[in-house]
Amino acid sequence: MKPNILFLVIDSLRSDKCYSKDKTSYTPNLDLLISEGVYFTQAISSVASTSPSLGSIFTGLFPVKIGMGTDSYEKLNPKISTYIQHLKKNDYTAYATTSEINSFLGLTEDFDLQMESSTHDNYFSLFKGLGDKILKKLDSSIKQPWIFYIHINDLHQPIIVPEKFSDEKFGSTDYEKMVSAIDFWIGEFLKKINLKNTLIVLTADHGEYIRSLKIDNELINLEAGMGEKTMWKLGNKVPTSLYEPKRKLSSYLQKIRNSSREHKIKKLDLSNYEKRILTTARTSAGSHVYDDVLRVPLLFSGFSITQPKIISEQIGLVDIFPTIVDLLKLGNLNSTIDGISLVPLFSDQILDEKPIFIQSMPHIAKDQKNYVGIRTSKFKYIKESGNNQNVELFNLVDDPLEEFDISKDNSEIVFKMENILQGYLSQKINNNSENLDSDERKKIEDELKKLGYV
């Protein structure tokens, strides 16, 4: 019997909050999986937005090559083959939990089951029914071999920590407490599966900014308060016809909150990075290409993983499915994808590093700027799309927090990175013939409003 695949995507999970000496979450199940698996500390998402990131994961191609670039939210180009289709051709049954927006964008139509019901909330929580539905499905006689894709949204802002995990022993911030809460459910899922015959893959679509940091052993925490969370939940119940008044009220309240945060920050002597952490959200203009939102966990555990290992080489999320099918001995989807199998790294072989294409999230506001770039393990090159004058270059070895632009003094590196970037952009697919119709775009806009992007 071919092995099963449990594919967990924890929305907004940062790499350093999954595996790090500085994390404060209580995660015995994650820790066990990492101790028995292969964990990558430098896995890079190409975009800090769920749909294009998942499109990239499922195809092994960078978003710009599948019709999901920075221009607008579009469907995955149907001419592009996915690994779900590939697995189905190899006798796998595909199951999934997913959000409505990914269905609208054509990312989950290859799955046989969508477990998420419609809800006024901005996501279907593990603690409000999703966890129990997953357990029930794992208890049922699902057809083997299977791939079960589970998308967990409980870390998506604003975070509302279940009372059971509100104690500081589960983390110093709401974000880390919720990581502890998610870990509990991961433990429940593991009780239902045979680890010897199940490959577990755990990753995230993108990271997140956490408005908290420790200065001189004092925690500065500017995460969303209960009032902001309550307003968010109430706002999701406002009828579509009242959206514009709601948006104006939300904008007014947000200005008040930002003013309060800025007042607190002015009293502190902060570095560029510390200011960015405390003032930036993933939806802020120009914030989409820093490592805070692009560096995510990647773990392989269970079936065929015999030698535990922590690997620090840079890899991309486009490499996930090429690695899965290599582990399963199924053969790759095709030879033209950007992703490669990481299996050689499992046994200390050397792989040439591939520069990773990165981009800002697709257009939401009309005045939003587009950013594209290239990341290697040594440098990150960023530019405003179509503007060769507005570029930035960071030395990730000497400046891992991306505080100091060195582009003016390193023209040769800029030239080299620009050539790599243009090579990727030259393969861009325009999805004009596959644009969403007005009803589909309206549904997507409604979902983006729930998630706080509009």
mmCIF file of all heavy atoms in Angstrom, residues 252-291:
data_model
loop_
_atom_site.group_PDB
_atom_site.id
_atom_site.type_symbol
_atom_site.label_atom_id
_atom_site.label_comp_id
_atom_site.label_asym_id
_atom_site.label_seq_id
_atom_site.Cartn_x
_atom_site.Cartn_y
_atom_site.Cartn_z
ATOM 1 N N TYR A 252 -11.382 54.959 10.710
ATOM 2 C CA TYR A 252 -11.274 55.975 11.766
ATOM 3 C C TYR A 252 -10.719 55.366 13.052
ATOM 4 O O TYR A 252 -9.799 55.925 13.676
ATOM 5 C CB TYR A 252 -12.645 56.586 12.023
ATOM 6 C CG TYR A 252 -12.690 57.530 13.204
ATOM 7 C CD1 TYR A 252 -12.104 58.790 13.141
ATOM 8 C CD2 TYR A 252 -13.326 57.140 14.385
ATOM 9 C CE1 TYR A 252 -12.147 59.658 14.234
ATOM 10 C CE2 TYR A 252 -13.374 57.998 15.484
ATOM 11 C CZ TYR A 252 -12.784 59.253 15.399
ATOM 12 O OH TYR A 252 -12.809 60.087 16.474
ATOM 13 N N LEU A 253 -11.257 54.202 13.430
ATOM 14 C CA LEU A 253 -10.789 53.543 14.656
ATOM 15 C C LEU A 253 -9.341 53.096 14.513
ATOM 16 O O LEU A 253 -8.568 53.156 15.477
ATOM 17 C CB LEU A 253 -11.689 52.355 14.977
ATOM 18 C CG LEU A 253 -13.138 52.692 15.358
ATOM 19 C CD1 LEU A 253 -13.949 51.411 15.517
ATOM 20 C CD2 LEU A 253 -13.179 53.509 16.646
ATOM 21 N N GLN A 254 -8.974 52.656 13.301
ATOM 22 C CA GLN A 254 -7.600 52.224 13.079
ATOM 23 C C GLN A 254 -6.625 53.394 13.227
ATOM 24 O O GLN A 254 -5.529 53.241 13.773
ATOM 25 C CB GLN A 254 -7.457 51.592 11.690
ATOM 26 C CG GLN A 254 -6.100 50.935 11.441
ATOM 27 C CD GLN A 254 -5.846 49.774 12.385
ATOM 28 O OE1 GLN A 254 -6.702 48.925 12.568
ATOM 29 N NE2 GLN A 254 -4.672 49.750 12.997
ATOM 30 N N LYS A 255 -7.023 54.564 12.760
ATOM 31 C CA LYS A 255 -6.178 55.748 12.916
ATOM 32 C C LYS A 255 -5.961 56.071 14.385
ATOM 33 O O LYS A 255 -4.853 56.456 14.800
ATOM 34 C CB LYS A 255 -6.809 56.938 12.200
ATOM 35 C CG LYS A 255 -6.712 56.858 10.680
ATOM 36 C CD LYS A 255 -7.354 58.082 10.035
ATOM 37 C CE LYS A 255 -7.274 57.993 8.511
ATOM 38 N NZ LYS A 255 -7.906 59.163 7.853
ATOM 39 N N ILE A 256 -7.015 55.911 15.184
ATOM 40 C CA ILE A 256 -6.896 56.163 16.622
ATOM 41 C C ILE A 256 -5.925 55.161 17.254
ATOM 42 O O ILE A 256 -5.053 55.540 18.051
ATOM 43 C CB ILE A 256 -8.273 56.070 17.300
ATOM 44 C CG1 ILE A 256 -9.180 57.202 16.815
ATOM 45 C CG2 ILE A 256 -8.129 56.110 18.818
ATOM 46 C CD1 ILE A 256 -10.594 57.136 17.365
ATOM 47 N N ARG A 257 -6.084 53.874 16.877
ATOM 48 C CA ARG A 257 -5.194 52.848 17.428
ATOM 49 C C ARG A 257 -3.749 53.095 17.000
ATOM 50 O O ARG A 257 -2.822 52.957 17.801
ATOM 51 C CB ARG A 257 -5.665 51.465 16.983
ATOM 52 C CG ARG A 257 -6.947 50.990 17.655
ATOM 53 C CD ARG A 257 -7.222 49.534 17.383
ATOM 54 N NE ARG A 257 -7.594 49.300 15.990
ATOM 55 C CZ ARG A 257 -8.848 49.247 15.551
ATOM 56 N NH1 ARG A 257 -9.854 49.432 16.391
ATOM 57 N NH2 ARG A 257 -9.111 49.009 14.278
ATOM 58 N N ASN A 258 -3.547 53.459 15.724
ATOM 59 C CA ASN A 258 -2.194 53.723 15.235
ATOM 60 C C ASN A 258 -1.573 54.921 15.940
ATOM 61 O O ASN A 258 -0.380 54.925 16.257
ATOM 62 C CB ASN A 258 -2.212 53.963 13.727
ATOM 63 C CG ASN A 258 -2.489 52.697 12.948
ATOM 64 O OD1 ASN A 258 -2.335 51.592 13.465
ATOM 65 N ND2 ASN A 258 -2.885 52.841 11.691
ATOM 66 N N SER A 259 -2.382 55.923 16.190
ATOM 67 C CA SER A 259 -1.890 57.105 16.892
ATOM 68 C C SER A 259 -1.441 56.736 18.308
ATOM 69 O O SER A 259 -0.408 57.221 18.792
ATOM 70 C CB SER A 259 -2.984 58.174 16.943
ATOM 71 O OG SER A 259 -2.560 59.295 17.688
ATOM 72 N N SER A 260 -2.239 55.878 18.958
ATOM 73 C CA SER A 260 -1.886 55.435 20.304
ATOM 74 C C SER A 260 -0.584 54.642 20.290
ATOM 75 O O SER A 260 0.280 54.829 21.148
ATOM 76 C CB SER A 260 -3.021 54.578 20.881
ATOM 77 O OG SER A 260 -2.667 54.051 22.138
ATOM 78 N N ARG A 261 -0.444 53.749 19.279
ATOM 79 C CA ARG A 261 0.787 52.962 19.169
ATOM 80 C C ARG A 261 1.992 53.869 18.918
ATOM 81 O O ARG A 261 3.059 53.692 19.509
ATOM 82 C CB ARG A 261 0.645 51.937 18.048
ATOM 83 C CG ARG A 261 -0.301 50.785 18.351
ATOM 84 C CD ARG A 261 -0.235 49.733 17.262
ATOM 85 N NE ARG A 261 -1.103 48.598 17.558
ATOM 86 C CZ ARG A 261 -2.186 48.280 16.882
ATOM 87 N NH1 ARG A 261 -2.552 49.027 15.844
ATOM 88 N NH2 ARG A 261 -2.911 47.234 17.212
ATOM 89 N N GLU A 262 1.827 54.834 18.015
ATOM 90 C CA GLU A 262 2.927 55.736 17.692
ATOM 91 C C GLU A 262 3.349 56.545 18.909
ATOM 92 O O GLU A 262 4.545 56.806 19.111
ATOM 93 C CB GLU A 262 2.514 56.667 16.550
ATOM 94 C CG GLU A 262 2.390 55.953 15.208
ATOM 95 C CD GLU A 262 1.795 56.849 14.139
ATOM 96 O OE1 GLU A 262 1.560 58.043 14.447
ATOM 97 O OE2 GLU A 262 1.560 56.367 13.019
ATOM 98 N N HIS A 263 2.368 56.939 19.723
ATOM 99 C CA HIS A 263 2.680 57.688 20.947
ATOM 100 C C HIS A 263 3.539 56.850 21.889
ATOM 101 O O HIS A 263 4.500 57.359 22.485
ATOM 102 C CB HIS A 263 1.380 58.102 21.642
ATOM 103 C CG HIS A 263 1.598 58.889 22.903
ATOM 104 N ND1 HIS A 263 2.054 60.186 22.893
ATOM 105 C CD2 HIS A 263 1.422 58.542 24.218
ATOM 106 C CE1 HIS A 263 2.158 60.618 24.142
ATOM 107 N NE2 HIS A 263 1.773 59.643 24.954
ATOM 108 N N LYS A 264 3.198 55.559 21.992
ATOM 109 C CA LYS A 264 3.985 54.673 22.858
ATOM 110 C C LYS A 264 5.387 54.456 22.286
ATOM 111 O O LYS A 264 6.380 54.431 23.013
ATOM 112 C CB LYS A 264 3.276 53.326 23.008
ATOM 113 C CG LYS A 264 1.958 53.392 23.748
ATOM 114 C CD LYS A 264 1.281 52.027 23.794
ATOM 115 C CE LYS A 264 -0.060 52.102 24.498
ATOM 116 N NZ LYS A 264 -0.758 50.782 24.508
ATOM 117 N N ILE A 265 5.464 54.325 20.960
ATOM 118 C CA ILE A 265 6.733 54.024 20.317
ATOM 119 C C ILE A 265 7.700 55.202 20.400
ATOM 120 O O ILE A 265 8.916 55.019 20.534
ATOM 121 C CB ILE A 265 6.489 53.623 18.842
ATOM 122 C CG1 ILE A 265 5.799 52.264 18.799
ATOM 123 C CG2 ILE A 265 7.781 53.578 18.047
ATOM 124 C CD1 ILE A 265 5.296 51.875 17.435
ATOM 125 N N LYS A 266 7.173 56.432 20.335
ATOM 126 C CA LYS A 266 8.026 57.611 20.384
ATOM 127 C C LYS A 266 8.837 57.691 21.669
ATOM 128 O O LYS A 266 9.909 58.312 21.713
ATOM 129 C CB LYS A 266 7.168 58.876 20.231
ATOM 130 C CG LYS A 266 6.717 59.140 18.799
ATOM 131 C CD LYS A 266 5.893 60.414 18.719
ATOM 132 C CE LYS A 266 5.442 60.676 17.286
ATOM 133 N NZ LYS A 266 4.609 61.910 17.179
ATOM 134 N N LYS A 267 8.339 57.068 22.703
ATOM 135 C CA LYS A 267 9.028 57.110 23.998
ATOM 136 C C LYS A 267 10.194 56.127 24.058
ATOM 137 O O LYS A 267 10.982 56.134 24.996
ATOM 138 C CB LYS A 267 8.042 56.775 25.126
ATOM 139 C CG LYS A 267 6.888 57.758 25.256
ATOM 140 C CD LYS A 267 5.946 57.335 26.374
ATOM 141 C CE LYS A 267 4.780 58.291 26.512
ATOM 142 N NZ LYS A 267 3.855 57.875 27.614
ATOM 143 N N LEU A 268 10.290 55.261 23.019
ATOM 144 C CA LEU A 268 11.297 54.213 23.034
ATOM 145 C C LEU A 268 12.414 54.518 22.041
ATOM 146 O O LEU A 268 12.198 55.123 20.997
ATOM 147 C CB LEU A 268 10.656 52.869 22.668
ATOM 148 C CG LEU A 268 9.466 52.430 23.524
ATOM 149 C CD1 LEU A 268 8.806 51.206 22.908
ATOM 150 C CD2 LEU A 268 9.905 52.144 24.955
ATOM 151 N N ASP A 269 13.620 54.100 22.388
ATOM 152 C CA ASP A 269 14.764 54.229 21.493
ATOM 153 C C ASP A 269 14.867 52.938 20.683
ATOM 154 O O ASP A 269 15.423 51.941 21.146
ATOM 155 C CB ASP A 269 16.043 54.459 22.306
ATOM 156 C CG ASP A 269 17.263 54.668 21.412
ATOM 157 O OD1 ASP A 269 17.070 54.991 20.221
ATOM 158 O OD2 ASP A 269 18.390 54.477 21.900
ATOM 159 N N LEU A 270 14.325 52.950 19.462
ATOM 160 C CA LEU A 270 14.176 51.728 18.685
ATOM 161 C C LEU A 270 15.039 51.737 17.429
ATOM 162 O O LEU A 270 15.302 52.781 16.835
ATOM 163 C CB LEU A 270 12.716 51.548 18.278
ATOM 164 C CG LEU A 270 11.686 51.458 19.403
ATOM 165 C CD1 LEU A 270 10.283 51.376 18.817
ATOM 166 C CD2 LEU A 270 11.955 50.264 20.303
ATOM 167 N N SER A 271 15.442 50.548 17.022
ATOM 168 C CA SER A 271 16.143 50.380 15.751
ATOM 169 C C SER A 271 15.132 50.396 14.609
ATOM 170 O O SER A 271 13.919 50.365 14.839
ATOM 171 C CB SER A 271 16.904 49.049 15.750
ATOM 172 O OG SER A 271 15.988 47.954 15.744
ATOM 173 N N ASN A 272 15.634 50.432 13.372
ATOM 174 C CA ASN A 272 14.741 50.404 12.211
ATOM 175 C C ASN A 272 13.862 49.157 12.233
ATOM 176 O O ASN A 272 12.664 49.218 11.930
ATOM 177 C CB ASN A 272 15.556 50.436 10.916
ATOM 178 C CG ASN A 272 16.254 51.755 10.708
ATOM 179 O OD1 ASN A 272 15.856 52.775 11.275
ATOM 180 N ND2 ASN A 272 17.301 51.757 9.896
ATOM 181 N N TYR A 273 14.473 48.036 12.573
ATOM 182 C CA TYR A 273 13.721 46.776 12.608
ATOM 183 C C TYR A 273 12.652 46.804 13.688
ATOM 184 O O TYR A 273 11.512 46.395 13.461
ATOM 185 C CB TYR A 273 14.667 45.602 12.851
ATOM 186 C CG TYR A 273 13.953 44.295 13.068
ATOM 187 C CD1 TYR A 273 13.375 43.613 11.999
ATOM 188 C CD2 TYR A 273 13.827 43.736 14.345
ATOM 189 C CE1 TYR A 273 12.703 42.419 12.181
ATOM 190 C CE2 TYR A 273 13.154 42.545 14.539
ATOM 191 C CZ TYR A 273 12.595 41.886 13.456
ATOM 192 O OH TYR A 273 11.919 40.709 13.652
ATOM 193 N N GLU A 274 13.010 47.289 14.871
ATOM 194 C CA GLU A 274 12.049 47.319 15.974
ATOM 195 C C GLU A 274 10.861 48.224 15.654
ATOM 196 O O GLU A 274 9.712 47.899 15.972
ATOM 197 C CB GLU A 274 12.753 47.774 17.251
ATOM 198 C CG GLU A 274 13.736 46.727 17.780
ATOM 199 C CD GLU A 274 14.645 47.272 18.868
ATOM 200 O OE1 GLU A 274 14.832 48.510 18.936
ATOM 201 O OE2 GLU A 274 15.202 46.463 19.636
ATOM 202 N N LYS A 275 11.118 49.348 14.993
ATOM 203 C CA LYS A 275 10.021 50.230 14.587
ATOM 204 C C LYS A 275 9.123 49.511 13.584
ATOM 205 O O LYS A 275 7.896 49.633 13.647
ATOM 206 C CB LYS A 275 10.593 51.510 13.967
ATOM 207 C CG LYS A 275 11.271 52.435 14.958
ATOM 208 C CD LYS A 275 11.853 53.643 14.245
ATOM 209 C CE LYS A 275 12.594 54.541 15.229
ATOM 210 N NZ LYS A 275 13.243 55.692 14.537
ATOM 211 N N ARG A 276 9.740 48.797 12.648
ATOM 212 C CA ARG A 276 8.954 48.098 11.633
ATOM 213 C C ARG A 276 8.068 47.035 12.268
ATOM 214 O O ARG A 276 6.900 46.890 11.902
ATOM 215 C CB ARG A 276 9.902 47.454 10.609
ATOM 216 C CG ARG A 276 9.194 46.848 9.420
ATOM 217 C CD ARG A 276 10.193 46.509 8.325
ATOM 218 N NE ARG A 276 10.892 45.265 8.574
ATOM 219 C CZ ARG A 276 12.194 45.081 8.434
ATOM 220 N NH1 ARG A 276 12.969 46.085 8.078
ATOM 221 N NH2 ARG A 276 12.738 43.905 8.664
ATOM 222 N N ILE A 277 8.613 46.304 13.206
ATOM 223 C CA ILE A 277 7.854 45.239 13.862
ATOM 224 C C ILE A 277 6.635 45.791 14.593
ATOM 225 O O ILE A 277 5.535 45.234 14.533
ATOM 226 C CB ILE A 277 8.756 44.466 14.851
ATOM 227 C CG1 ILE A 277 9.701 43.550 14.090
ATOM 228 C CG2 ILE A 277 7.929 43.645 15.836
ATOM 229 C CD1 ILE A 277 8.999 42.467 13.300
ATOM 230 N N LEU A 278 6.801 46.909 15.282
ATOM 231 C CA LEU A 278 5.724 47.434 16.116
ATOM 232 C C LEU A 278 4.691 48.240 15.333
ATOM 233 O O LEU A 278 3.588 48.474 15.835
ATOM 234 C CB LEU A 278 6.307 48.300 17.236
ATOM 235 C CG LEU A 278 7.117 47.554 18.309
ATOM 236 C CD1 LEU A 278 7.663 48.539 19.335
ATOM 237 C CD2 LEU A 278 6.275 46.484 19.002
ATOM 238 N N THR A 279 5.014 48.650 14.120
ATOM 239 C CA THR A 279 4.099 49.527 13.386
ATOM 240 C C THR A 279 3.533 48.906 12.122
ATOM 241 O O THR A 279 2.600 49.470 11.527
ATOM 242 C CB THR A 279 4.814 50.831 12.987
ATOM 243 O OG1 THR A 279 5.930 50.518 12.131
ATOM 244 C CG2 THR A 279 5.306 51.578 14.211
ATOM 245 N N THR A 280 4.048 47.758 11.697
ATOM 246 C CA THR A 280 3.701 47.215 10.385
ATOM 247 C C THR A 280 2.738 46.051 10.492
ATOM 248 O O THR A 280 2.833 45.228 11.397
ATOM 249 C CB THR A 280 4.969 46.746 9.647
ATOM 250 O OG1 THR A 280 5.919 47.811 9.645
ATOM 251 C CG2 THR A 280 4.653 46.357 8.213
ATOM 252 N N ALA A 281 1.840 45.973 9.533
ATOM 253 C CA ALA A 281 0.987 44.806 9.346
ATOM 254 C C ALA A 281 1.304 44.220 7.976
ATOM 255 O O ALA A 281 1.885 44.884 7.112
ATOM 256 C CB ALA A 281 -0.490 45.193 9.423
ATOM 257 N N ARG A 282 0.927 42.968 7.769
ATOM 258 C CA ARG A 282 1.230 42.308 6.496
ATOM 259 C C ARG A 282 0.553 43.012 5.329
ATOM 260 O O ARG A 282 1.001 42.934 4.190
ATOM 261 C CB ARG A 282 0.811 40.834 6.570
ATOM 262 C CG ARG A 282 1.272 39.979 5.419
ATOM 263 C CD ARG A 282 1.157 38.499 5.771
ATOM 264 N NE ARG A 282 -0.132 38.163 6.324
ATOM 265 C CZ ARG A 282 -1.202 37.843 5.601
ATOM 266 N NH1 ARG A 282 -1.122 37.806 4.282
ATOM 267 N NH2 ARG A 282 -2.338 37.528 6.179
ATOM 268 N N THR A 283 -0.534 43.715 5.596
ATOM 269 C CA THR A 283 -1.260 44.417 4.539
ATOM 270 C C THR A 283 -0.793 45.858 4.356
ATOM 271 O O THR A 283 -1.327 46.575 3.520
ATOM 272 C CB THR A 283 -2.764 44.421 4.851
ATOM 273 O OG1 THR A 283 -2.974 44.948 6.168
ATOM 274 C CG2 THR A 283 -3.332 43.014 4.773
ATOM 275 N N SER A 284 0.211 46.292 5.147
ATOM 276 C CA SER A 284 0.729 47.650 4.994
ATOM 277 C C SER A 284 1.474 47.790 3.673
ATOM 278 O O SER A 284 2.123 46.849 3.210
ATOM 279 C CB SER A 284 1.678 47.990 6.150
ATOM 280 O OG SER A 284 1.025 47.905 7.390
ATOM 281 N N ALA A 285 1.397 48.965 3.073
ATOM 282 C CA ALA A 285 2.066 49.199 1.793
ATOM 283 C C ALA A 285 3.567 49.007 1.922
ATOM 284 O O ALA A 285 4.205 49.539 2.829
ATOM 285 C CB ALA A 285 1.761 50.611 1.293
ATOM 286 N N GLY A 286 4.140 48.205 1.033
ATOM 287 C CA GLY A 286 5.582 48.023 0.995
ATOM 288 C C GLY A 286 6.140 47.071 2.023
ATOM 289 O O GLY A 286 7.357 46.950 2.164
ATOM 290 N N SER A 287 5.280 46.370 2.740
ATOM 291 C CA SER A 287 5.761 45.520 3.833
ATOM 292 C C SER A 287 5.856 44.052 3.446
ATOM 293 O O SER A 287 6.205 43.214 4.256
ATOM 294 C CB SER A 287 4.811 45.632 5.030
ATOM 295 O OG SER A 287 3.570 45.035 4.711
ATOM 296 N N HIS A 288 5.562 43.723 2.208
ATOM 297 C CA HIS A 288 5.263 42.338 1.873
ATOM 298 C C HIS A 288 6.467 41.466 1.537
ATOM 299 O O HIS A 288 6.297 40.299 1.234
ATOM 300 C CB HIS A 288 4.293 42.284 0.691
ATOM 301 C CG HIS A 288 3.192 43.285 0.787
ATOM 302 N ND1 HIS A 288 2.367 43.374 1.880
ATOM 303 C CD2 HIS A 288 2.784 44.242 -0.062
ATOM 304 C CE1 HIS A 288 1.492 44.350 1.683
ATOM 305 N NE2 HIS A 288 1.726 44.889 0.521
ATOM 306 N N VAL A 289 7.651 41.992 1.527
ATOM 307 C CA VAL A 289 8.778 41.200 1.047
ATOM 308 C C VAL A 289 9.907 41.067 2.064
ATOM 309 O O VAL A 289 11.008 40.653 1.722
ATOM 310 C CB VAL A 289 9.323 41.773 -0.283
ATOM 311 C CG1 VAL A 289 8.396 41.441 -1.427
ATOM 312 C CG2 VAL A 289 9.521 43.281 -0.197
ATOM 313 N N TYR A 290 9.666 41.416 3.318
ATOM 314 C CA TYR A 290 10.645 41.177 4.369
ATOM 315 C C TYR A 290 10.532 39.738 4.868
ATOM 316 O O TYR A 290 9.492 39.096 4.739
ATOM 317 C CB TYR A 290 10.447 42.158 5.535
ATOM 318 C CG TYR A 290 10.774 43.591 5.193
ATOM 319 C CD1 TYR A 290 9.763 44.533 5.036
ATOM 320 C CD2 TYR A 290 12.091 44.004 5.011
ATOM 321 C CE1 TYR A 290 10.049 45.857 4.714
ATOM 322 C CE2 TYR A 290 12.399 45.318 4.695
ATOM 323 C CZ TYR A 290 11.365 46.247 4.547
ATOM 324 O OH TYR A 290 11.662 47.541 4.218
ATOM 325 N N ASP A 291 11.607 39.244 5.474
ATOM 326 C CA ASP A 291 11.612 37.856 5.927
ATOM 327 C C ASP A 291 10.581 37.563 7.001
ATOM 328 O O ASP A 291 10.188 36.411 7.184
ATOM 329 C CB ASP A 291 13.011 37.478 6.447
ATOM 330 C CG ASP A 291 13.906 36.941 5.332
ATOM 331 O OD1 ASP A 291 13.505 37.014 4.160
ATOM 332 O OD2 ASP A 291 15.011 36.459 5.638
#
